């Protein structure tokens, strides 16, 4: 499964979300923003990151991931 483009856009535009992810994973905000700019699905798709995105934005898994065939 891949991360939808709108999630990368959300990470680029929602600083509070980036801050929550960075704090939870003990990273710098720039690292999380870099994931979004580089469209790194493996990093954004990590369970803790997805859970933070879901709780912050109200999205569900179907809104975050797109099926790859």
């Amino acid at each position: 499964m891949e991360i939808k483009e709108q999630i990368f856009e959300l990470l680029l535009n929602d600083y509070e979300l980036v801050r929550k992810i960075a704090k939870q994973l003990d990273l710098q905000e720039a690292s999380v923003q870099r994931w979004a700019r580089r469209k790194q699905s493996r990093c954004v798709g990590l369970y803790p990151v997805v859970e933070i995105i879901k709780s912050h934005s109200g999205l569900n898994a179907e809104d975050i991931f797109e099926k790859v065939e």
Side-chain angles (χ1 to χ4, degrees), residues 10-11 14-22 52-53 56-57:
L10 181 64
L11 289 171
D14 190 336
Y15 180 72
E16 186 62 32
L17 175 58
V18 168
R19 238 176 45 144
K20 286 180 182 181
I21 294 169
I52 294 167
I53 292 170
H56 178 84
S57 65

Side-chain angles (χ1 to χ4, degrees), residues 4-46:
K4 289 185 177 180
E5 181 66 31
Q6 75 182 45
I7 303 305
F8 293 121
E9 291 297 321
L10 181 64
L11 289 171
L12 289 172
N13 296 310
D14 190 336
Y15 180 72
E16 186 62 32
L17 175 58
V18 168
R19 238 176 45 144
K20 286 180 182 181
I21 294 169
K23 183 177 179 182
Q24 181 71 29
L25 299 178
D26 196 27
L27 298 169
Q28 294 182 359
E29 288 96 357
S31 296
V32 178
Q33 291 171 325
R34 194 174 311 118
W35 296 346
R37 280 194 309 277
R38 294 179 180 174
K39 298 183 181 0
Q40 292 179 310
S41 290
R42 281 195 320 213
C43 295
V44 177
L46 293 171

